């Protein structure tokens, strides 16, 4: 590949391919070949690389955990934020059933939502459930699921989840506080 200048002074990226034809004595008779303009191809290649880097940076630095699950519920990908949210290294959960991380009391509800999500492309709703931390305790997470099974770049159910344990504690405290007010008033 090389750079040529067009008549109007613009740089044009080209790919050159040539071969020599020789006479019986080994002298070059002539060269023949092609010159292919690859400027647009290179621009597209650079744009794709930039897009991939941008996506990678967003996923790598997101506080939400991004999980890709296959049709049978097996984890295919975990984003690096699973370390801070659940204490696992990303590759520790790849290959496990997603339900392995869901508290038994919430498994039926989560499974029903997952099955509903398999039936329709696109976002299929949010669910809150207890999720097992690597240390063995459970945290409350909120997850939004999107069916991207038909997307060849993803090929799975994508869950964006976040730790909402503190929010749930605040909600319970508020309910208990209000119950106390009601009991005191009677």
């Amino acid at each position: 590949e090389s750079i040529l200048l067009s008549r109007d002074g613009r740089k044009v990226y080209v790919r050159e391919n040539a071969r020599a034809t020789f006479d019986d004595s080994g002298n070059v008779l002539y060269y023949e070949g092609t010159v292919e303009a690859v400027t647009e191809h290179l621009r597209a290649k650079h744009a794709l690389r930039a897009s991939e880097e941008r996506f990678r940076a967003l996923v790598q630095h997101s506080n939400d955990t991004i999980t890709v699950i296959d049709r049978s519920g097996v984890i295919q990908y975990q984003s690096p934020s699973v370390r801070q949210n659940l204490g696992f290294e990303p590759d520790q959960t790849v290959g496990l059933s997603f339900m392995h991380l869901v508290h038994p009391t919430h498994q039926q509800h989560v499974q029903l939502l997952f099955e509903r999500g398999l039936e329709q492309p696109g976002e299929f709703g949010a669910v809150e459930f207890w999720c097992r931390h690597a240390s063995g305790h459970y945290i409350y997470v909120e997850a939004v699921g999107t069916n991207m099974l038909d997307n060849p770049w993803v090929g799975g159910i994508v869950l964006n989840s976040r730790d909402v344990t503190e929010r749930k504690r605040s909600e319970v405290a508020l309910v208990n506080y209000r119950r106390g007010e009601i009991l005191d008033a009677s």
Side-chain angles (χ1 to χ4, degrees):
E1 292 183 0
S2 58
I3 302 172
L4 300 176
L5 290 177
S6 67
R7 286 186 181 156
D8 61 4
R10 287 181 298 124
K11 290 181 180 178
V12 178
Y13 295 86
V14 297
R15 181 176 299 131
E16 299 175 85
N17 186 6
R19 67 183 180 123
T21 300
F22 300 92
D23 65 16
D24 293 337
S25 302
N27 298 317
V28 174
L29 293 173
Y30 59 91
Y31 294 95
E32 64 181 355
T34 60
V35 177
E36 176 186 5
V38 294
T39 302
E40 292 305 315
H41 171 74
L42 288 177
R43 282 187 186 139
K45 187 175 172 181
H46 290 296
L48 178 60
R49 185 176 299 130
S51 177
E52 288 172 348
E53 290 300 321
R54 180 177 183 217
F55 173 75
R56 185 176 291 110
L58 290 171
V59 169
Q60 298 284 333
H61 296 95
S62 173
N63 290 331
D64 286 1
T65 298
I66 300 168
T67 306
V68 179
I69 305 168
D70 70 11
R71 187 175 295 282
S72 61
V74 174
I75 297 171
Q76 302 299 308
Y77 171 82
Q78 282 280 32
S79 66
S81 60
V82 75
R83 282 186 201 100
Q84 70 192 41
N85 293 330
L86 294 176
F88 291 103
E89 288 301 313
D91 61 348
Q92 283 180 288
T93 58
V94 171
L96 294 176
S97 167
F98 175 70
M99 288 300 168
H100 177 76
L101 300 175
V102 178
H103 191 276
T105 60
H106 293 156
Q107 284 183 357
Q108 184 178 5
H109 179 68
V110 172
Q111 183 65 36
L112 286 172
L113 185 64
F114 178 76
E115 288 170 6
R116 189 177 85 200
L118 287 173
E119 298 170 4
Q120 61 187 25
E123 190 174 310
F124 56 86
V127 62
E128 293 180 353
F129 58 93
W130 289 333
C131 191
R132 188 170 62 83
H133 192 278
S135 65
H137 71 280
Y138 285 85
I139 64 169
Y140 229 103
V141 299
E142 174 184 66
V144 176
T146 306
N147 178 336
M148 299 184 79
L149 287 163
D150 292 336
N151 182 319
W153 302 104
V154 179
I157 301 287
V158 178
L159 292 179
N160 291 327
S161 58
R162 66 180 53 171
D163 182 349
V164 293
T165 306
E166 289 305 314
R167 184 181 82 195
K168 293 306 265 185
R169 285 185 183 143
S170 297
E171 289 171 3
V172 168
L174 182 60
V175 167
N176 289 338
Y177 173 77
R178 287 186 175 157
R179 282 186 184 153
E181 282 182 345
I182 293 169
L183 292 176
D184 289 342
S186 50

